[in-house]
Amino acid sequence: MRIAFLAIAGLVMGVVGGATIGIGLGLAWIEMFNTSEFEGYAGMLVFFTFMPLGALVGGLAGATLFGMAAFREQEVAIARQRMPYEPH
């Protein structure tokens, strides 16, 4: 259950972070390549291309990283339970 919760939390945080980075990259693209702003073309390019792509990549990366971290933490906890007691 903890793995699923952390994967979902990573997904949400990744989507927000990825969308933010996508907007920033889109604005940089517009400035560097002098994209036309006729009838809002530049804004549509950023918000319909760069933002969704950033959200997609960020969401997948966040869910994967958080899920892997939670899974490894669970493996470590299971391994600690299996270790025999060694008196010092």
Side-chain angles (χ1 to χ4, degrees), residues 15 17 28 36 46 56-57 59 73 83-84:
V15 165
S36 171
V46 171
L56 178 68
V57 171
E73 184 179 318
M83 289 178 55

Side-chain angles (χ1 to χ4, degrees), residues 42-75:
M44 287 189 287
L45 176 67
V46 171
F47 288 101
F48 292 129
T49 303
F50 285 96
M51 186 178 70
L53 287 176
L56 178 68
V57 171
L60 291 175
T64 303
L65 291 175
F66 274 56
M68 286 175 45
F71 184 72
R72 287 183 181 167
E73 184 179 318
Q74 182 180 6
E75 285 181 346

Side-chain angles (χ1 to χ4, degrees), residues 4 8 14 20 29 43 45 54 60-61 63 66 75-76 78 81 85 87:
I8 291 171
T20 304
W29 177 279
L45 176 67
L60 291 175
F66 274 56
E75 285 181 346
V76 170
I78 291 171
Q81 290 174 355
Y85 176 72

Side-chain angles (χ1 to χ4, degrees), residues 26 28-38 41-43 45 50:
W29 177 279
I30 288 170
E31 291 298 318
M32 287 181 2
F33 295 106
N34 295 324
T35 303
S36 171
E37 293 188 20
F38 180 70
Y41 177 72
L45 176 67
F50 285 96

